[in-house]
């Protein structure tokens, strides 16, 4: 019999495991004595007319139209995959391109540049017409993209021979491009940005020199007339993405400036503003639904990875006539203008979870949110189970680890020995940057080593049953505090089956037909009741064909 010594993080306790495994034997069975990991909590999405599936995990909400919506997922480190999902039946279409932009309709702009503005050859894809594509090469016009406004027309910034720039409508007809200057834009205007079209108009923002100073202006541009029909000066719009920080409707204009929501009544020019008191590092987003302005602080539900406490403002609608407010979502990620006067929002509610919501006026004339596509992920902070073996070995280096749906929270943890009443309490501040909290154990996971617990409870912390409980407070204020509790049985120098290197993963040793010994790392799949491979097998070495049993000490 061959004895192999293994050590990790100063492990001195002996582990004895008898294995007889051969590669290629099919699915791995659950080892006797293995603690089953709890299944992921079911999604909170609920049923609102059967919402479609929205891609979970790392994806972004890029465009929306009457017949569907566009998302972007990353394939590998650099490749972007765009997928159009049809509202009618959930059918998906993959779209080629490195960047995409929304028109507020079923037409999607795609390009090969690093940004839409740097994409000089564009494709306008009409997804309601089977993806019919119009290609536009802007290089002969010395033009750069501003905003797609229809299935064959865009707004573009055209540089003239003398170096001046103009805003043009560029259209494709029979493979040839025509251009038309937008009137009412002053000479010297530059840095054009525009919203998607609504009711035949777009809201354009630009700067121009006047009296030796630079003035910021917004203009409501009538697309059929190619003319600025309404202008408003001193409109310095805050935010990185113009499409999230400005909006236009048949009756109003809205934008964010200096931390305030500014609205203008188009018929009278009357301007009003209010300050929602947003966190300065988050900014605001605005939209318009009828005579209501929508606003909130756009952010990631899971935070920025640095543990910053930045409470968000829920996505809210405010009546421009009565001042009444209506809470729509618990938080907003990305809002996009819809083709029918509605707004589509990537965000979430505590009641229905994560996904895409449509904001539209209800029968009572007040805006309401409807879940149209669910990612199956919870919005509120949710407990997903413990990640440590039971019984727990007090002499092992394995930490006590718990898992939640996200980790941007502070956790008040308490552990009590049931028989003696000895207790440990501590607030764990979770951060996810490289030099972060010692209590962070990966996405959604927090934990603590037993040595720290015993140091407070007494180094002779006894064997027996321990009760644990914690309260987790979300940093962003989204959803209620999470309260969870449970218990575990603990002892010392326990035989820990199938965890050779004390990493709380199941390891199996396997020998192939050539006599090479391999270590296989796995985790328990509660749904399939099998072991699922976590990493590629690790080669230990050859010459093991003479042995059929291995004792690991």
């Amino acid at each position: 019999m061959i004895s192999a010594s293994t050590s990790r993080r100063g492990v001195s306790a002996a582990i004895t495991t008898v294995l007889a495994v051969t590669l290629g034997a099919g699915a791995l069975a659950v080892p006797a004595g293995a603690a089953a990991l709890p299944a992921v909590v079911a999604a909170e999405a609920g049923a609102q007319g059967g919402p479609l599936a929205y891609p979970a995990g790392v994806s972004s909400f890029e465009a929306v139209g009457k017949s569907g919506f566009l998302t972007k997922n990353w394939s590998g480190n650099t490749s972007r995959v765009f997928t159009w999902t049809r509202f009618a039946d959930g059918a998906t279409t993959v779209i080629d391109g490195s960047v995409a932009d929304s028109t507020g309709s079923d037409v999607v702009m795609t390009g090969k540049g690093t940004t839409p503005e740097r994409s000089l050859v564009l494709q306008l894809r009409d997804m309601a017409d089977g993806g019919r594509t119009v290609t536009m090469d802007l290089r002969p016009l010395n033009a750069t993209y501003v905003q797609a406004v229809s299935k064959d027309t865009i707004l573009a910034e055209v540089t003239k021979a003398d170096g001046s720039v103009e805003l043009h409508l560029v259209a494709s007809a029979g493979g040839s491009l025509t251009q038309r200057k937008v009137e009412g834009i002053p000479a010297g205007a530059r840095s054009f940005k525009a919203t998607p079209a609504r009711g035949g108009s777009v809201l354009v923002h630009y700067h121009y020199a006047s009296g030796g100073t630079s003035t910021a202006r917004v203009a409501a541009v009538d697309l059929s007339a190619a003319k600025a029909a309404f202008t408003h000066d001193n409109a310095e719009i805050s935010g990185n993405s113009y499409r999230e920080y400005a909006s236009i409707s048949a009756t109003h204009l809205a934008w964010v400036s200096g931390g305030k929501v500014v609205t203008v009544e188009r018929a009278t020019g009357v301007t009003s503003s209010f300050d929602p008191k947003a966190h300065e590092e988050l900014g605001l987003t605005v939209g318009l639904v009828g005579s209501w302005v929508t606003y909130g602080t756009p952010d990631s539900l899971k935070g920025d990875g640095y543990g910053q406490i930045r409470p968000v403002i829920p996505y809210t609608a405010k009546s421009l006539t009565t001042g009444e407010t209506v809470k729509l979502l618990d938080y907003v990620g990305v809002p996009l203008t819809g083709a029918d006067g509605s707004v589509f929002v990537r965000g979430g509610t505590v009641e229905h979870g994560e996904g895409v919501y449509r904001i539209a006026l209800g029968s009572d004339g007040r805006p309401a949110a409807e879940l149209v596509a669910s990612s199956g992920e919870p919005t509120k902070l949710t407990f997903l189970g413990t990640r440590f073996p039971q019984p727990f070995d007090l002499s092992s280096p394995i930490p006590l680890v718990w898992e939640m749906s996200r980790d941007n929270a502070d956790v008040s943890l308490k552990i009590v020995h049931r028989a003696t009443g000895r207790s440990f309490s501590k607030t764990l501040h979770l951060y996810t940057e490289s030099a972060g909290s010692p209590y962070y154990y990966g996405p959604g996971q927090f934990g603590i080593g037993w040595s720290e617990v015993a140091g407070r409870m007494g180094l002779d912390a006894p064997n027996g049953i321990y009760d644990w409980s914690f309260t987790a407070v979300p940093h962003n204020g989204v959803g209620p505090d999470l309260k969870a509790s449970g218990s575990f049985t603990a002892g010392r120098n326990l035989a820990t089956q199938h965890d050779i290197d004390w990493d709380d993963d199941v390891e199996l040793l396997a020998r192939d037909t050539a006599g090479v010994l391999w270590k296989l790392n796995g985790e328990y799949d509660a749904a399939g009741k099998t072991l699922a491979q976590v990493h590629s097998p690790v080669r230990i070495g050859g010459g093991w064909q003479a042995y059929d049993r291995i004792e690991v000490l």
Side-chain angles (χ1 to χ4, degrees):
M1 181 177 288
I2 301 295
S3 294
S5 177
T6 179
S7 174
R8 189 172 189 262
R9 288 185 276 183
V11 177
S12 59
I15 310 172
T16 304
T17 306
V18 178
L19 302 172
V21 181
T22 302
L23 283 177
L28 300 177
V30 181
L37 295 180
V40 174
V41 172
E44 304 170 333
Q48 292 190 4
L52 301 174
Y54 183 87
V58 182
S59 64
S60 60
F61 187 40
E62 296 289 319
V64 67
K66 185 177 181 180
S67 69
F69 62 91
L70 186 74
T71 54
K72 177 180 70 178
N73 285 70
W74 292 91
S75 176
N77 295 326
T78 59
S79 178
R80 304 167 185 174
V81 177
F82 292 97
T83 303
W84 178 266
T85 301
R86 198 162 58 193
F87 285 134
D89 54 10
T92 59
T93 302
V94 175
I95 298 177
D96 180 43
S98 58
V99 293
D101 191 27
S102 176
T103 64
S105 71
D106 290 313
V107 177
V108 174
M109 186 286 280
T110 59
K112 298 291 188 179
T114 55
T115 65
E117 294 76 17
R118 291 179 178 270
S119 300
L120 299 181
V121 179
L122 315 174
Q123 287 77 42
L124 301 180
R125 303 173 187 269
D126 188 351
M127 302 310 298
D129 190 17
R132 185 181 70 88
T133 302
V134 172
T135 299
M136 304 178 73
D137 187 346
L138 301 181
R139 290 172 294 185
L141 304 183
N142 202 19
T144 57
Y145 172 84
V146 175
Q147 175 66 46
V149 296
S150 76
K151 61 184 179 182
D152 57 13
T153 306
I154 68 167
L155 279 169
E157 184 175 302
V158 177
T159 302
K160 311 296 286 184
D162 61 2
S164 63
V165 297
E166 294 176 346
L167 184 65
H168 285 203
L169 281 167
V170 177
S172 175
S176 299
L177 298 184
T178 62
Q179 53 183 321
R180 185 182 181 190
K181 179 183 176 182
V182 175
E183 302 295 338
I185 305 293
R190 56 183 175 82
S191 302
F192 293 102
K193 297 178 180 179
T195 65
R198 260 194 181 182
S201 297
V202 294
L203 186 63
V204 175
H205 181 262
Y206 56 88
H207 290 82
Y208 72 99
S210 176
T213 61
S214 179
T215 299
R217 170 180 283 182
V218 292
V221 173
D222 184 323
L223 296 173
S224 62
K227 184 177 181 179
F230 179 94
T231 60
H232 186 90
D233 282 343
N234 301 315
E236 189 64 60
I237 294 180
S238 307
N240 296 324
S241 173
Y242 178 68
R243 293 161 184 82
E244 297 177 18
Y245 296 86
S247 187
I248 186 173
S249 73
T251 58
H252 288 83
L253 314 176
W255 62 87
V256 177
S257 182
K260 295 182 178 181
V261 175
V262 180
T263 60
V264 178
E265 190 174 9
R266 294 177 66 175
T268 64
V270 173
T271 302
S272 61
S273 67
F274 62 94
D275 186 356
K277 306 297 183 183
H279 192 287
E280 61 182 5
E281 293 184 14
L282 289 177
L284 285 165
T285 180
V286 295
L288 288 165
V289 180
S291 60
W292 296 73
V293 61
T294 60
Y295 63 92
T297 45
D299 197 19
S300 166
L301 176 65
K302 297 184 178 181
D304 60 4
Y306 292 91
Q308 297 183 17
I309 300 175
R310 306 186 303 191
V312 302
I313 294 176
Y315 198 51
T316 305
K318 181 176 182 178
S319 172
L320 295 174
T321 57
T322 68
E324 177 190 3
T325 59
V326 176
K327 179 181 174 182
L328 299 169
L329 304 177
D330 288 291
Y331 92 100
V332 54
V334 177
L336 293 174
T337 298
D340 57 357
S342 61
V343 174
F344 286 81
V345 179
R346 173 67 174 94
T349 67
V350 167
E351 181 180 5
H352 297 295
E354 293 296 286
V356 173
Y357 289 78
R358 179 176 179 263
I359 313 298
L361 297 180
S363 58
D364 60 357
R366 302 164 78 236
E370 175 193 8
L371 181 64
V372 296
S374 171
S375 70
E377 301 165 303
T379 294
K380 68 180 181 182
L381 194 58
T382 304
F383 177 53
L384 301 183
T386 58
R387 295 293 180 261
F388 54 86
Q390 294 200 43
F392 181 74
D393 193 334
L394 300 179
S395 62
S396 84
I398 296 175
L400 295 164
V401 176
W402 294 262
E403 185 171 0
M404 306 181 294
S405 55
R406 48 190 169 97
D407 50 65
N408 52 337
D410 289 330
V411 178
S412 296
L413 175 67
K414 186 174 184 178
I415 301 174
V416 180
H417 185 253
R418 187 178 293 180
T420 65
R422 294 189 191 183
S423 65
F424 166 87
S425 298
K426 187 173 181 126
T427 297
L428 313 180
H429 301 285
L430 307 183
Y431 305 89
T432 56
E433 72 272 30
S434 59
S437 168
Y439 307 109
Y440 173 75
Y441 279 80
Q445 296 187 354
F446 70 90
I448 192 167
W450 185 255
S451 60
E452 183 173 351
V453 176
R456 188 84 57 88
M457 192 178 288
L459 294 177
D460 60 341
N463 299 345
I465 298 175
Y466 286 82
D467 295 309
W468 58 264
S469 62
F470 69 81
T471 298
V473 181
H475 287 166
N476 55 13
V478 177
D481 296 349
L482 168 62
K483 296 181 183 295
S485 60
S487 63
F488 62 90
T489 301
R492 283 182 170 77
N493 298 317
L494 303 176
T496 306
Q497 292 185 345
H498 300 299
D499 187 10
I500 298 172
D501 52 8
W502 292 108
D503 64 352
D504 199 23
D505 281 337
V506 176
E507 286 88 36
L508 296 179
L509 298 181
R511 186 195 64 199
D512 63 21
T513 55
V516 176
L517 188 67
W518 299 82
K519 185 182 76 168
L520 293 82
N521 290 77
E523 63 181 9
Y524 180 55
D525 179 359
K529 296 183 179 181
T530 61
L531 288 179
Q533 182 170 303
V534 178
H535 306 296
S536 299
V538 177
R539 189 179 191 274
I540 295 175
W544 294 85
Q545 58 265 42
Y547 308 99
D548 62 0
R549 295 180 185 273
I550 306 167
E551 182 179 355
V552 183
L553 300 177

